Amino acid sequence: MVLASLVPLSELEDSPFLVDTRRQYAACRDWAERNGYAIAATVETNNAPVTTPALWQDVEAGAEAFLCAGPRILDAALESASDFAEHCASRGIRLITVECPEPAYTAEMKAAVHRRLSLPTAGYDGC
C-alpha cells in the first residue's frame, strides 16, 4: 500500500512534494517495481490517527507493507509516525520509506500541480 500525504494546496509554495501526490506515488511505484512488490492500494491522509480504519483495510485483506515516499510525507500523513510504526510492527507489517530525493520544483511544475488540484471538476487531469 502506498501512504501519501494529503495536505492543502496552500502548502504548494513551501512544500510542493507534500502536495504532489502523483510524484509521491511515482516514487513508491518505482521502488516497488525495483524490489518485487506490487501496489495494491493507495491511501491519502493528513495528520490521521493511527487507528483510522482506511489505513488498515487493505492490511486486513492481505497487504504486506506500507510504502511512503519519505519521512516528511509520513510525518504529514499521520498524527504520529512513531505510533504508526509501532502499530505496523505489532501487526507484522513492514513500513518502508523509500527515501527518494524530493524533486526541485520549478515554477512550471508547481503551476501544473496547482492546475491539476484546483481544476478537477472542469475535467482537467493534469496532463
Side-chain angles (χ1 to χ4, degrees):
M1 288 185 46
V2 171
L3 180 60
S5 64
L6 182 62
V7 298
L9 187 55
S10 61
E11 298 290 321
L12 182 62
E13 191 58 40
D14 294 330
S15 297
F17 192 55
L18 291 179
V19 177
D20 191 356
T21 55
R22 281 193 180 175
R23 287 195 193 264
Q24 292 173 40
Y25 293 145
C28 291
R29 184 183 58 245
D30 291 347
W31 185 94
E33 288 173 1
R34 287 191 313 273
N35 290 280
Y37 282 81
I39 295 176
T42 56
V43 178
E44 294 180 5
T45 65
N46 181 27
N47 200 34
V50 297
T51 56
T52 301
L55 292 170
W56 305 104
Q57 197 171 356
D58 288 295
V59 167
E60 292 167 3
E64 300 173 4
F66 282 98
L67 295 178
C68 193
R72 280 185 1 109
I73 304 301
L74 195 60
D75 287 340
L78 300 165
E79 188 175 73
S80 171
S82 60
D83 287 352
F84 186 70
E86 288 176 20
H87 272 70
C88 287
S90 71
R91 293 176 178 225
I93 303 299
R94 292 184 63 196
L95 174 58
I96 303 162
T97 53
V98 301
E99 304 293 334
C100 71
E102 293 188 16
Y105 282 78
T106 64
E108 292 79 20
M109 291 167 68
K110 289 179 186 177
V113 172
H114 187 275
R115 278 190 307 276
R116 179 171 42 82
L117 295 176
S118 62
L119 299 173
T121 57
Y124 182 74
D125 68 357
C127 296

